Amino acid sequence: MLKPLLVAVFLTGLLTPAATAVPAPTCLEPPTSDKTELCVELVSYEGKEFAADGRFASATPTAPATLRVFVQQRMDMLPRPITITEKTVTGTGELKALTDPGRSIPDVRTVRACAYGWTDIGAQRHEVCTPWQGV
C-alpha cells in the first residue's frame, strides 16, 4: 500500500532537492580605459568551511603581477575581521587562485571573500570583496 505512494511522490519530484542559487563572483568595475579584471567569490563547504576563489588579469599582461585571495570572518564581539585562509600567487598574464578551505569558529556571524591584485610596475592596487554573508 505504501509502495504506490512512494512511487507517486518520486515521480512528481517532491523528493528532488531544491536548487540553491549560486552567487555570481563579485568583480571590479574598472573605467573603460583600464582593462584590468579582478573577481572573487566565496566558496562554501559543509561544516562552516569556506574558501576564496579569485582571478586577476592586469591591463599590462606582460608585467609581473600578484594576486592575493582570502576569507575573512566577523564576530559580534570583535569589530575587526579575522582572516581564516589565504593564498598568494605571482606570475604574468591571467592569475587564478583558490585558497584551502578554512573553518570558521562557532561564534562567527558573517564571512566574506576578498582579492587584491597588483603589478610590479604600477602603484595601483586593485581590491574587491564579496558582501558579508551570514553563516
Side-chain angles (χ1 to χ4, degrees):
M1 185 173 223
L2 290 177
K3 286 184 182 179
L5 178 61
L6 288 176
V7 170
V9 169
F10 181 72
L11 290 176
T12 60
L14 294 177
L15 290 181
T16 57
T20 56
V22 176
T26 302
C27 295
L28 181 68
E29 296 294 334
T32 55
S33 62
D34 184 11
K35 301 296 182 191
T36 298
E37 295 179 30
L38 179 64
C39 294
V40 68
E41 67 182 304
L42 183 67
V43 180
S44 178
Y45 298 91
E46 290 185 30
K48 286 192 167 185
E49 289 186 347
F50 301 93
D53 188 13
R55 182 178 63 83
F56 178 58
S58 172
T60 53
T62 57
T66 302
L67 168 65
R68 178 178 175 244
V69 292
F70 54 96
V71 176
Q72 291 182 320
Q73 61 186 6
R74 190 168 57 186
M75 297 182 293
D76 291 335
M77 301 302 282
L78 297 173
R80 296 190 68 152
I82 300 166
T83 300
I84 60 172
T85 184
E86 69 178 284
K87 185 172 188 174
T88 302
V89 295
T90 58
T92 57
E94 184 176 331
L95 302 177
K96 294 182 181 184
L98 175 66
T99 66
D100 292 330
R103 185 158 182 78
S104 64
I105 56 178
D107 294 338
V108 167
R109 299 290 182 244
T110 56
V111 294
R112 73 175 179 179
C114 293
Y116 292 126
W118 67 93
T119 61
D120 291 349
I121 62 168
Q124 190 172 16
R125 182 179 185 139
H126 302 280
E127 173 185 355
V128 67
C129 293
T130 63
W132 287 101
Q133 298 176 20
V135 293

